[in-house]
Amino acid sequence: MLFSPLELLPPPLELALASLRQQLACLDRLVLAYSGGVDSSLVAALAVEQRGEAALAITGVSPALAPHLRAEAAEQARWLRITHREIPTAELADPSYASNPDQRCYACKRELHRLLAPIAAAAAGATVLDGVNAEDLDDHRPGIRASKEFGVRSPLAEVGLDKAGVRQISRSLGLPWWDKPAQPCLASRFPYGEPITAERLERVAAAEAWLLARGWPQVRVRSQGQTARIELPPAQLDRALGLWAKPETREALVAAFLEMGFSAVGLDLEGLVSGKLNRELGSANR
């Protein structure tokens, strides 16, 4: 299966795409850490294009993966016709994850790649890949260190592709989810230092699912203690303020969140900002 471009790409992106294809074509077998996000889905598409049945996509499943994202990852894998497996991960059993330090993502990726390594070895020494892009290298992403320790390759970063480039190539190749919003794992909803449990993750997942079902396609529910703080894109704040100013809709929202186990619920007037809780790291260093 060859993904033919539906639109022309700028020369730098054409070059990056050609380089990606060449890299993947040179691998005998590959195992991809696949979340279903735009980045890993582009790698999955090109992997199955170049290597067919020699490409395997694996999704780590735990309470930190929202159920709707798990379903989307499986659906996209079927669309791509790439062999896809789910494996349970146990990062919550690791205190260096569950205590939620600022290096939490390192423990998470260490657990994932601990499980992927023997799978790759059993597949005739397959190369393990991930969907890290060049932009990620400049962000607070301790998980990248764990990936490097296990010898994982990041083809998108290797060819210098940032998130915008990944989206543009994905759109050009006709991947329907090219504009899918970034969806970090549910553990990112908790301030560093607040313990993470399966129950708390499931509560956040339920709160976000409740909002998604009511027409808010891009949302975060930050959990601070027993308080839920809803983040929506700034362009949607006027709609939210107008809607939840009405007693009946506000009361329905509050009642639903209280039933889930929150003690209070609010709307963040700054709006959705990816990585907002990482600001605490800067404050701690001042």
Side-chain angles (χ1 to χ4, degrees):
M1 175 172 63
L2 179 66
F3 290 95
S4 300
L6 303 179
E7 58 186 53
L8 293 177
L9 288 168
L13 292 184
E14 285 278 10
L15 184 62
L17 177 57
S19 181
L20 274 172
R21 283 173 159 150
Q22 183 179 25
Q23 284 189 30
L24 296 171
C26 290
L27 300 176
D28 289 334
R29 302 189 68 83
L30 60 91
V31 169
L32 170 65
Y34 167 73
S35 67
V38 178
D39 299 319
S40 64
S41 293
L42 176 58
V43 179
L46 297 176
V48 74
E49 174 194 81
Q50 296 298 316
R51 301 305 303 137
E53 294 182 358
L56 170 63
I58 296 184
T59 303
V61 176
S62 79
L65 176 64
H68 75 280
L69 295 180
R70 177 180 179 180
E72 287 176 11
E75 181 181 354
Q76 290 168 203
R78 286 192 294 271
W79 191 92
L80 292 169
R81 299 182 184 177
I82 189 170
T83 303
H84 178 228
R85 285 174 54 190
E86 295 181 341
I87 59 171
T89 59
E91 60 270 22
L92 279 169
D94 182 352
S96 61
Y97 176 92
S99 63
N100 197 17
D102 61 9
Q103 298 297 306
R104 179 197 68 237
C105 292
Y106 172 81
C108 178
K109 293 302 182 186
R110 181 178 59 192
E111 165 68 2
L112 175 63
H113 291 302
R114 179 186 71 81
L115 298 171
L116 293 185
I119 294 173
T127 302
V128 180
L129 308 177
D130 65 19
V132 169
N133 67 57
E135 194 173 336
D136 294 333
L137 301 180
D138 296 325
D139 198 0
H140 176 71
R141 296 190 180 245
I144 293 175
R145 177 164 57 92
S147 301
K148 289 180 177 179
E149 289 174 0
F150 278 88
V152 177
R153 290 186 57 183
S154 305
L156 300 177
E158 289 176 15
V159 300
L161 272 177
D162 61 10
K163 177 68 80 174
V166 168
R167 291 193 185 280
Q168 194 167 352
I169 290 176
S170 297
R171 184 179 64 187
S172 171
L173 297 181
L175 305 185
W177 49 80
W178 66 270
D179 59 347
K180 183 177 182 178
Q183 293 284 355
C185 79
L186 294 175
S188 68
R189 310 304 195 262
F190 300 89
Y192 293 119
E194 280 200 15
I196 296 175
T197 65
E199 180 183 17
R200 298 189 80 198
L201 290 166
E202 289 162 2
R203 183 169 64 185
V204 167
E208 293 189 357
W210 191 92
L211 291 164
L212 287 167
R214 285 158 181 78
W216 303 99
Q218 191 173 1
V219 63
R220 303 273 194 281
V221 175
R222 307 286 186 187
S223 179
Q224 295 181 297
Q226 296 297 102
T227 298
R229 192 180 79 242
I230 299 170
E231 290 185 14
L232 298 168
Q236 295 180 16
L237 288 176
D238 284 346
R239 177 192 164 206
L241 288 167
L243 181 67
W244 292 328
K246 301 174 182 176
E248 63 275 14
T249 51
R250 182 176 66 252
E251 290 168 6
L253 169 69
V254 172
F257 275 57
L258 292 181
E259 186 175 350
M260 292 172 201
F262 292 105
S263 63
V265 56
L267 177 66
D268 190 322
L269 296 182
E270 182 185 16
L272 194 158
V273 176
S274 183
K276 182 178 288 189
L277 295 182
N278 285 338
R279 291 173 180 170
E280 299 173 10
L281 303 180
S283 298
N285 292 330
R286 285 198 292 268

